[in-house]
Amino acid sequence: EKIRNAVRENGYALLREVHLEISETLNFDITESALRQGFFQRFLSHDFKLKNGIISDVRDSLSIRDILLKYSQNRSSFTLTELNALYKDLTGDPHTHGDGLAVAHRTAFQVDDDHFVQIEFDTKGIDDVLAGLMQERMKPLLEVSTFISFPAVSGYQWNHYLLASYLRLVSERFGLLELTISNCCNALIVSKASISKDYCQAVAEFLLQENVPLDFDIVGRYATQKGL
């Protein structure tokens, strides 16, 4: 019944959550995994399907990333550590290949290197502050050195993690071009009109905007200094 309720409420359940203490004491030569597989085939397979340790409705086709999305969407806060642990439990793969972080960035706002939360923003007020900082130009994320003029966010302090999340998810006038989403470096704040540009193309335009001499060493040092 616990498994049925979990599928009904969350869209999935994990086979490892099936507890068979009595059966395990009677089958010393059978592994817990095999017992769970047998239990599923006997009692649940008519109504549910099993793939990669995930039990779901027979009409659904859930991927690992779908499960991570459901996990993060059903919580007001979660950690990247939790998502990565869930990924490893589901796949047995010790390497998450960035799936946990990619899902986290799609569903919540990052407040430090591990924690993600749901937040209500004063979008107009924040975009107005950004417009004053940008002045119709591109701007490296790390070049935003103070957040004193940003509208307060209840319960949290502004930082580059939170600003990056805001730009990815809810800003109406600005966006974030990133080389990767693994950290706050290599990120450029741009207008929504420029959000479809390739990151390297945007960096080249930024260097021209800043009148940086087209010398390999100078460009390299300048880009590193600006966090690009």
Side-chain angles (χ1 to χ4, degrees):
E1 189 62 30
K2 177 182 177 182
I3 296 299
R4 293 181 184 276
N5 288 339
V7 174
R8 186 161 50 246
E9 293 174 8
N10 304 320
Y12 73 97
L14 303 179
L15 185 63
R16 61 180 173 79
E17 293 175 342
V18 175
H19 299 293
L20 303 171
E21 290 87 354
I22 296 177
S23 296
E24 289 168 2
T25 62
L26 298 176
N27 295 274
F28 297 106
D29 296 328
I30 302 177
T31 65
E32 292 182 21
S33 176
L35 282 170
R36 293 190 179 98
Q37 292 275 354
F39 178 87
F40 175 85
Q41 292 299 327
R42 176 67 177 83
F43 297 105
L44 299 173
S45 60
H46 293 297
D47 302 313
F48 305 100
K49 65 180 178 182
L50 177 65
K51 183 178 180 182
N52 296 326
I54 302 169
I55 301 170
S56 61
D57 190 282
V58 292
R59 296 164 294 184
D60 293 335
S61 179
L62 295 177
S63 67
I64 299 298
R65 185 165 286 200
D66 290 332
I67 299 301
L68 297 180
L69 278 169
K70 285 180 177 292
Y71 180 93
S72 59
Q73 289 170 340
N74 289 338
R75 287 162 172 77
S76 60
S77 66
F78 60 89
T79 67
L80 180 59
T81 299
E82 291 170 2
L83 277 187
N84 287 341
L86 177 58
Y87 180 94
K88 292 172 185 177
D89 283 345
L90 293 172
T91 65
D93 187 346
H95 306 291
T96 62
H97 309 291
D99 280 9
L101 185 59
V103 166
H105 280 315
R106 285 180 56 187
T107 56
F109 301 95
Q110 188 173 12
V111 294
D112 59 32
D113 62 351
D114 194 39
H115 291 82
F116 290 77
V117 300
Q118 299 300 331
I119 297 176
E120 293 291 331
F121 288 96
D122 173 9
T123 304
K124 182 182 184 305
I126 297 168
D127 279 357
D128 284 347
V129 171
L130 287 170
L133 293 174
M134 299 284 290
Q135 298 179 348
E136 306 300 325
R137 299 159 73 90
M138 298 180 183
K139 191 177 189 71
L141 177 69
L142 295 183
E143 204 171 74
V144 179
S145 58
T146 178
F147 297 94
I148 193 170
S149 58
F150 282 69
V153 178
S154 179
Y156 300 96
Q157 296 292 321
W158 278 102
N159 56 34
H160 290 111
Y161 288 111
L162 188 53
L163 178 56
S165 288
Y166 171 82
L167 289 162
R168 291 187 195 105
L169 295 176
V170 295
S171 176
E172 296 177 354
R173 296 165 59 187
F174 301 98
L176 195 66
L177 291 179
E178 302 171 88
L179 185 60
T180 70
I181 60 170
S182 61
N183 54 49
C184 288
C185 293
N186 309 118
L188 196 61
I189 304 173
V190 298
S191 68
K192 283 291 187 184
S194 299
I195 197 63
S196 62
K197 289 184 178 180
D198 173 75
Y199 172 78
C200 293
Q201 174 193 352
V203 169
E205 292 181 15
F206 169 75
L207 295 172
L208 289 174
Q209 165 191 293
E210 299 298 299
N211 296 314
V212 178
L214 298 180
D215 176 273
F216 182 82
D217 291 334
I218 294 175
V219 166
R221 286 195 300 269
Y222 189 87
T224 299
Q225 177 187 346
K226 297 295 183 180
L228 298 174

